Amino acid sequence: MVAAQNGHGGAYRRLLAEMSDWLVRYFQRRLPPGEVDDAVQETLLAVHRRRHTYDPQSPLGPWLAAIAKRKWIDQLRSLGRRPTEELPEDLSIADHEASIVSASVLASLLEELRPAQAQAILLVKVQGYSIEEASSQSGLSASAIKMNIHRGLSRLTAFIEKTYDVE
Amino acid sequence: MSNEALIQSLSADLVPVRPRRMLREAGLVLGLGATELALFLGFGMMRPDMGEMVGSTYLLWRLGSLAILAAIICTVAIRSYSPTARPRRGLRLAGALAAAAMIGGIFVAPADVGDHTLLERLRPLHGILCAASIFVLSLPILAILGVLMRSGAPTHPRLSALASGAAAGSWGAFVFAFCCPFNDPLYVVVWYSVGCAAVAAAARWRLPRRFNL
């Protein structure tokens, strides 16, 4: 990174390639598969824009992990704002590993929420049900489902921001 | 665009950068603050009885606690512009110190303040002017901290913005304390807190909007 700060393109390319591999693994465990590439590229851009903030006397890992965590939170926020689309019935999935790891992390995070909030997020944001379907499944009104999703995602974001360890 | 293509394009137009130095940034803030204070006093804004007040416990409490608070919160703010920094603990410490300073005001109150009613002691009209003056005096430091925040990489932008606002507010209060003619600690605690809180709230509301990691 010090060489990169001094303008050595080759060293920087190797560093970004290593960072990219690490970031792919990092985000695969925390985000839905379709969001991983976006998050990796956003983080690489942030690393590039803010490379002057790296202190050569400190280890690189925590610096990168802190930026990645911020981008994870941003990605979660944008996920919460985006409208949910219903998945087609015949959608095939080639590889389940990343989804399984992601689901296990998500399950442990959802334990931090109230049951109604966790259920609403699980039904609409993870399983892809519409608000109306989630409403009929859970017995709550559509507005209560929306409110639970909104509050649940906000609480989840606040919880992630407070946790100290990143990787 | 694939990750590889992005890496190629980022490394192709790489230019050298100067690593961020916190001491340099602190020096910049200190220099601007000192210039502001010098200009403020140079324009004859110091209270006329300052000569008599120098050495009094009350003035020592007022200027000392504000200077210490401004220095500590400013350090917290500048440190928070680094991605690995966590400003929460520093802000809690600053809050505890501010509370201790406010409690300390009880012990330095002049003897005659107990003779007045609460409204007379608070003087709302003057108080609002004091708070507004603190707000205006904090703007130069808030501006420089905003610029430093944008060029840094805070990973808790809302807390960083809050720290920046609180630092600028306490500096504004410190500068204003040289001209404020009121000696009642209750007045100082209430209206100076209002001024600082207004700056902190404005910074917390405005600065994160202008920031993107």
Side-chain angles (χ1 to χ4, degrees), chain A residues 9-78:
Chain A
Y12 191 47
R13 192 163 35 246
R14 280 196 299 281
L15 177 73
L16 287 183
E18 282 178 26
M19 281 181 173
S20 170
D21 292 343
W22 184 85
L23 289 169
V24 168
R25 289 197 300 276
Y26 178 88
F27 287 119
Q28 271 178 345
R29 277 185 276 164
R30 289 164 173 84
L31 289 169
E35 305 292 326
V36 172
D37 270 352
D38 272 359
V40 170
Q41 294 191 5
E42 283 287 322
T43 312
L44 288 175
L45 279 170
V47 164
H48 180 70
R49 280 197 300 262
R50 308 291 168 178
R51 63 190 186 280
H52 65 282
T53 64
Y54 169 67
D55 179 1
Q57 286 163 2
S58 307
L60 182 65
W63 182 81
L64 176 63
I67 293 177
K69 184 180 172 185
R70 184 72 239 165
K71 287 295 167 188
W72 176 33
I73 291 167
D74 288 349
Q75 207 73 17
L76 279 178
R77 284 208 176 107
S78 80

Side-chain angles (χ1 to χ4, degrees), chain A residues 119 123 133-141 145:
Chain A
Q119 189 192 17
L123 285 172
E133 286 168 338
S135 167
S136 64
Q137 281 214 13
S138 61
L140 295 170
S141 68
I145 291 283

